[in-house]
Amino acid sequence: MSAYLTAVLADSPIHYWRLADPGGSLVHDIGSTPRAMATNNFATVVPYTGPISDGGSAWFDALTTVNFFDSDSRTTPCSAELWVWQHYTRNAFQGLFSMDVPGVTALCDIAISALGHPQANVALTSILSASAITIQAWHHLVVTRTAALSTLYVDGISVGTVATGAQAAANFNMAIGAYLASSFGNTANPASANIAEVAMYGTALSAARVTAHFVAADNTSSKPISKISGVGQPNTGNANTSADALQQILNAVKKTY
């Protein structure tokens, strides 16, 4: 098992969605309470129960989101975590992970602003990083929330905090690759990026644990354990995933023998 997987699982995520894992489905949850997600609001994706291996990432755009619409009871404290690879500057607000009561309040949401700055939305408040993320590179984004304070981390470093209150509700829904627009399966502000290793916790990760997750990942060109080669097509945003494909073949061979 990779060092990154070990670091995440050590903090007992409620949900840990792995994307395009060789041998698995597009989206599968290896957290303590697995949830099936739906692709584009209609195709059910069954939680993954097979072997855990080094994973890939999934490309999200205006036509692709995965979501869970149900009465999923959540409360503070909480944390959300993911890795994102921005292919080009889109000049539009993009939802990466949404966990909220649609149209009412956000619990722990992660996004990219129209200017390319990482952003967390908690309650009715936003935390905005002062610096934009680098395109054509992996970045690690985490938001943590307690009954008193919320913090946004970018690549293992705190970039902003805001005072927030306690929150609990029985109708929190979740989406990867977009924001939730309503409780009826609609999404808005879709992402235009590759997303990997999405995790949700019932605790507020400490700064030390956020840093531990970040440093456990691979080198800059392949964080966290995705094998994307580091080259994308800036005009279309399509990733050059030849390295991903090769890794899937190699993993398949390893499992055969």
Side-chain angles (χ1 to χ4, degrees):
M1 186 182 297
S2 75
Y4 183 77
L5 273 168
T6 301
V8 171
L9 293 175
D11 288 308
S12 304
I14 296 172
H15 302 298
Y16 181 12
W17 292 285
R18 312 213 55 236
L19 307 176
D21 193 335
S25 57
L26 171 64
V27 182
H28 53 267
D29 186 356
I30 60 172
S32 61
T33 311
R35 287 290 198 187
M37 301 289 273
T39 303
N40 299 336
N41 301 325
F42 61 85
T44 299
V45 180
V46 178
Y48 183 68
T49 58
I52 300 173
S53 61
D54 281 359
S57 59
W59 164 251
F60 290 85
D61 56 24
L63 300 177
T64 305
T65 62
V66 293
N67 40 54
F68 174 77
F69 295 100
D70 199 356
S71 297
D72 196 27
S73 179
R74 288 289 167 255
T75 185
T76 50
C78 62
S79 301
E81 174 179 37
L82 56 79
W83 290 79
V84 61
W85 175 287
Q86 191 72 32
H87 296 279
Y88 57 96
T89 302
R90 184 178 170 191
N91 298 319
F93 178 85
Q94 302 175 58
L96 302 178
F97 176 69
S98 176
M99 179 170 58
D100 56 18
V101 177
V104 179
T105 187
L107 187 62
C108 286
D109 291 5
I110 302 176
I112 297 176
S113 76
L115 296 178
H117 296 244
Q119 178 175 328
N121 294 320
V122 286
L124 299 176
T125 305
S126 295
I127 309 172
L128 186 66
S129 172
S131 301
I133 59 174
T134 306
I135 62 171
Q136 304 288 315
W138 280 109
H139 290 281
H140 180 238
L141 307 183
V142 178
V143 57
T144 64
R145 180 176 178 181
T146 69
L149 192 70
S150 294
T151 305
L152 173 64
Y153 296 86
V154 179
D155 293 338
I157 300 173
S158 170
V159 297
T161 60
V162 66
T164 48
Q167 187 169 303
N171 296 304
F172 276 101
N173 299 321
M174 295 171 285
I176 301 172
Y179 259 34
L180 297 167
S182 75
S183 298
F184 304 102
N186 298 319
T187 52
N189 304 112
S192 185
N194 273 67
I195 299 174
E197 312 298 329
V198 183
M200 192 200 102
Y201 306 82
T203 59
L205 294 174
S206 68
R209 290 309 300 159
V210 172
T211 300
H213 290 195
F214 176 71
V215 300
D218 294 340
N219 61 52
T220 305
S221 64
S222 59
K223 283 177 176 155
I225 50 178
S226 172
K227 305 304 178 185
I228 282 183
S229 63
V231 178
Q233 301 172 34
N235 292 331
T236 64
N238 293 328
N240 176 356
T241 56
S242 57
D244 250 346
L246 175 59
Q247 188 62 37
Q248 290 191 25
I249 294 172
L250 292 175
N251 284 343
V253 171
K254 291 177 184 176
K255 292 177 182 179
T256 302
Y257 295 96

